[in-house]
Amino acid sequence: MPAAPLHLDTPLFLTSADYSAASRPLWLKLDALQPAGSFKLRGVGRLCQHEVENGAKEIFCASGGNAGIAAAYAGRALGVPVTIVVPQTTSEEVRRSIAATGAAVLVHGSVFDEANAHAVNLAAERKAAYVHPFDHPLLWEGHGTLIDEVVARGAEFDCVVASVGGGGLLAGIVAGLKRNGLDNVPVIAVETEGAASFHASLAADERITLPAITSIANSLGARQVAQHVFDLPRHHPIESVTVTDAEAVAACLKFADAYRILVEPACGAALAVADTHPDLLARFKNPLIEVCGGIGVSLDKLKMWRERLL
Ligand SMILES: *Cc1c(COP(=O)(O)O)cnc(C)c1O
């Protein structure tokens, strides 16, 4: 029998039709309530479990945030030491949260790519497992459990709205839809302007590397999406949209006031679509929004973003 997963089956509920400008009830999948604060534990937990079952004695992961917390949590649950390599841009607060979850934190490089290369090298040197934050088939398989849960609940939905960083979540949702026979259910892939590497790649029909990330939604800040993610629209209906940082923050504030739960702007981006692209959602009867969560948020941060952007 496979080991029990590390993530939780999260709540799912329907908003009232007047919650958004889309004027229809929205299914909200509350992955903000996962241990470690985001959907990331689904895939990272799956991958870490696999590695430990196959003999890994140690785990390395590069991350500026939620993937690192998820790997730290998974390592603790599985009883193996975890080292998270973060770039210098990762805030003191996030470093402390990762450390508090029980992982060692190593600061290396000025951007994610440098931290990541270092994590890959360390893992190879020490014959340890290396966990990528968004680019691995087992991560996608794990993230897909969010769709399994919605289907198991019998909830009917005819599109899925989710935010895109490196695209692991998007790949997982597509994998989940396919294994549940939902090949025709489109995914609306949301990025903030300034972190829109998927959007730019589709427009250029070529996998673009953004010169820089200029959005506050740092969990969406992959300068390039995974190759598999770039290829997905050829195999599944996917529409790419963008929102502004201000729109993402407004959606975080509205969601916090309505449901008393804080989420990062990376998650606010997906929530914002119902207000900023109502015509797009009006084509569907029962949109499902993945409330992906994130720990990079606090009352103080929301207040600061509101003052700066709204
Ligand atoms: C990681 C993350 C994303 C983006 O996921 P990808 O798999 O990188 O596309 C979105 N929101 C939150 C809160 C995240 O932690």
Side-chain angles (χ1 to χ4, degrees), residues 38-40 66 134 163-169 219-220 264 266 292-294:
S38 78
F39 75 95
K40 286 275 188 343
N66 296 313
F134 57 81
S163 58
V164 175
L169 177 58
S219 294
L220 305 187
E264 286 183 15
C292 50

Side-chain angles (χ1 to χ4, degrees), residues 81-135:
V82 178
T83 302
I84 311 297
V85 186
V86 301
Q88 280 137 13
T89 45
T90 301
S91 72
E92 198 53 52
E93 250 172 304
V94 168
R95 292 181 206 180
R96 268 201 301 271
S97 310
I98 297 174
T101 312
V105 179
L106 251 179
V107 182
H108 187 95
S110 52
V111 291
F112 168 76
D113 308 80
E114 288 169 24
N116 190 49
H118 192 56
V120 170
N121 288 341
L122 286 174
E125 263 170 36
R126 301 171 62 109
K127 299 194 173 21
Y130 158 73
V131 172
H132 193 283
F134 57 81
D135 194 1

Side-chain angles (χ1 to χ4, degrees), residues 184-269:
N184 297 322
V185 172
V187 186
I188 297 171
V190 192
E191 294 169 295
T192 47
E193 291 170 11
S197 46
F198 185 59
H199 196 75
S201 299
L202 294 188
D205 198 22
E206 169 189 358
R207 195 162 64 119
I208 298 284
T209 302
L210 298 177
I213 300 296
T214 57
S215 167
I216 60 162
N218 38 22
S219 294
L220 305 187
R223 288 168 56 221
Q224 187 186 52
V225 297
Q227 181 66 45
H228 169 76
V229 173
F230 175 67
D231 293 335
L232 280 176
R234 274 192 251 138
H235 311 287
H236 194 91
I238 293 175
E239 297 189 38
S240 162
V241 299
T242 61
V243 301
T244 64
D245 278 356
E247 288 163 345
V249 167
C252 293
L253 290 164
K254 178 169 142 175
F255 181 74
D257 281 338
Y259 300 113
R260 302 158 305 279
I261 297 171
L262 304 191
V263 296
E264 286 183 15
C267 175

